[in-house]
Amino acid sequence: MDPRIPRLRRKLAAIPFQPLRSHSFGEEHHEFRLGPKLAEARVAAFEAEHDIDLPDAYRQFLTHIGGSGAAPFYGLIQLERCSLLVMNPREEPLAPRGFDAAEPGCHGRDLFLHIIEMGCTDVCVIAVTGPLTGRVLTGNSDGFWGPNVSSAADFLDWYERWLNHMSAGRDNRALELTSPQLRARPARYPPAPNI
C-alpha cells in the first residue's frame, strides 16, 4: 500500500471540522463522505472489460480509501459509471480541444477516464494511456475551454493538493476552492438593475 494512503485518510477525516478551511465547490453534494473501498476483483474486472490498466495511484485510492464520493467538484464517480474518452484532434492551431466518448477498440489513441463529476459539459479525467498516463486533467467535452493538465505527479498527489489547499484556506480556481476571506467579502459591484 502506498504510504500516502493513511495520511490522506486522516486529512480527509479532519477537513469538515476545520473552521477556517476553504469552501470546495460541490461539497454539499458529497459532504466529504466516501463510498466503500472497491475489491481488487471488481477493479480488475473493470480493467478487463475496457482493456485498460488503471494508473496505480488512482487504483490504490479506489481499493484503499474509497470508490466514490469526496473529491473536488461534485466528487468521484462510481467506477462502473466512469467512461472512457478520447481528446478531439486539433482542428485549428491554438483552438481548445474537447473530449468524445471512446469507441470500442480505439486503442490507437490516448485514452482518458472520466472520474470526477464537474457539472454541465466540464470533465475531470485521468489519462490511462499515452504520455500523460496517471495525470489528472480538467477540460470541457465540447472544447469551450482547453484541457488543463495538473502539475501533480499522480492522482494521490492531486487529491492531497486539494485537501492541503482547502485546509490552508486557500483560493484555487483549478480545484474550485474559495477561501473564507473571499466568501466573506461583499460583492464589489452592485447587481445590475432590472430592465
Side-chain angles (χ1 to χ4, degrees), residues 67-83:
S68 63
F73 315 108
Y74 291 115
L76 278 173
I77 300 170
Q78 293 175 346
L79 187 60
E80 294 78 17
R81 292 185 42 233
C82 291
S83 55

Side-chain angles (χ1 to χ4, degrees), residues 39-52 54 59 79-80:
E40 284 286 340
R42 190 168 164 191
V43 175
F46 180 87
E47 291 174 321
E49 177 185 346
H50 296 283
D51 193 24
I52 60 168
L54 294 177
R59 189 178 219 284
L79 187 60
E80 294 78 17

Side-chain angles (χ1 to χ4, degrees), residues 16-39:
F17 306 104
Q18 295 178 347
L20 299 178
R21 70 171 174 83
S22 297
H23 176 267
S24 180
F25 173 79
E27 71 181 49
E28 297 83 5
H29 182 74
H30 56 72
E31 298 177 332
F32 300 108
R33 290 183 295 202
L34 290 167
K37 296 181 268 188
L38 302 182

Side-chain angles (χ1 to χ4, degrees), residues 42-55 84 102-113 128-130:
R42 190 168 164 191
V43 175
F46 180 87
E47 291 174 321
E49 177 185 346
H50 296 283
D51 193 24
I52 60 168
D53 290 323
L54 294 177
L84 280 174
E103 299 293 327
C106 71
H107 283 50
R109 297 178 63 185
D110 296 345
L111 295 174
F112 302 88
L113 188 65
V128 294
T129 64

